[in-house]
Amino acid sequence: AVYYLNNSGGLGDEQAQRAQEECWTEDCGGCLRVYDNLASASASASSYSDVEPIAGRLVLFRSDLVEHEVLPCFVRPRIAVTVWLYGRIVK
């Protein structure tokens, strides 16, 4: 689980969300890149989705099954809480 806590500058919830969406651009970086595990084994056929680090966004996925990486930030810090849950799988 990843929950983004990027600074909203003291704005209210709705205003902060709108400000984050309006001011974040691809040039800012910091996306979570999630690779399509069903993509072809060919290195040139990599398929992925980038999740923008917008404040208040929660991303849930099985990190042990889904290949992913965090891209570098270029403009401002990316602040997030990341949680890993471990345990036995009961069948």
Side-chain angles (χ1 to χ4, degrees):
V2 178
Y3 182 66
Y4 293 102
L5 300 169
N6 302 331
N7 186 359
S8 60
L11 301 173
D13 288 344
E14 278 186 42
Q15 291 174 316
Q17 180 70 22
R18 200 166 32 254
Q20 284 289 330
E21 290 171 354
E22 290 171 1
C23 69
W24 185 88
T25 66
E26 196 171 327
D27 295 335
C28 294
C31 285
L32 172 67
R33 178 162 288 173
V34 180
Y35 292 93
D36 179 3
N37 290 341
L38 302 176
S40 166
S42 165
S44 63
S46 293
S47 177
Y48 60 84
S49 297
D50 287 344
V51 180
E52 302 165 348
I54 304 295
R57 178 167 284 165
L58 177 64
V59 184
L60 301 171
F61 63 98
R62 291 275 310 262
S63 61
D64 60 335
L65 300 177
V66 178
E67 188 175 346
H68 63 284
E69 67 176 312
V70 176
L71 302 178
C73 295
F74 301 110
V75 176
R76 60 178 168 264
R78 171 193 171 273
I79 302 169
V81 173
T82 303
V83 177
W84 293 277
L85 302 174
Y86 294 98
R88 285 186 336 180
I89 297 175
V90 180
K91 295 181 181 183

